[in-house]
Amino acid sequence: QVQLVESGGGLVQAGGSLRLSCAASGSISSRDVMGWYRQAPGKQRELVATITTGGNTNNADSVKGRFTISRDNAKNTVYLQMNSLKPEDTAIYYCNLHKVSFFRPTDYWGQGTQVTVSS
């Protein structure tokens, strides 16, 4: 079992910055991939960025150059540094952990943290 707890959301003005944190606990493996997704009102949940234990990252085109994902393996924590925020970034941000398994790959989700960017 894995539990994820997000923090760092809030209200900022356009052009501002926020850093989200996600602490994972439980059965964490070096093969697990962690990342961030977001869901805006009336829209599907979408990928923001992912990162492996080895530091390989994947970012959505909409956030490239503005957001940076990082990972502290010793703390089982992933971060999302968000700069140059835009009103369109407003969404609930969810931490995700994908557990690789031959028989039962599993996704775990945090409770979400609200990010609101005012114009």
Side-chain angles (χ1 to χ4, degrees):
Q1 292 279 21
V2 174
Q3 288 191 323
L4 305 172
V5 179
E6 303 108 327
S7 62
L11 173 65
V12 297
Q13 293 185 332
S17 299
L18 284 173
R19 190 178 76 155
L20 307 183
S21 299
C22 174
S25 61
S27 300
I28 310 302
S29 169
S30 62
R31 294 184 179 273
D32 297 340
V33 178
M34 296 184 68
W36 291 93
Y37 291 71
R38 67 185 182 185
Q39 187 167 26
K43 295 185 177 181
Q44 299 275 358
R45 186 174 299 186
E46 65 176 354
L47 172 80
V48 177
T50 61
I51 187 169
T52 67
T53 301
N56 294 317
T57 61
N58 182 36
N59 301 283
D61 290 338
S62 61
V63 305
K64 287 182 178 177
R66 299 188 299 121
F67 293 7
T68 302
I69 188 170
S70 61
R71 184 170 182 170
D72 186 335
N73 293 323
K75 297 181 179 180
N76 290 323
T77 300
V78 66
Y79 306 93
L80 185 68
Q81 179 66 47
M82 304 184 294
N83 299 322
S84 301
L85 283 162
K86 305 174 181 179
E88 61 206 68
D89 295 318
T90 296
I92 300 175
Y93 284 70
Y94 296 91
C95 181
N96 168 265
L97 183 147
H98 178 75
K99 184 168 287 295
V100 176
S101 173
F102 287 112
F103 304 107
R104 190 187 178 187
T106 305
D107 283 287
Y108 296 89
W109 298 92
Q111 81 286 354
T113 184
Q114 177 70 48
V115 172
T116 302
V117 184
S118 62
S119 60

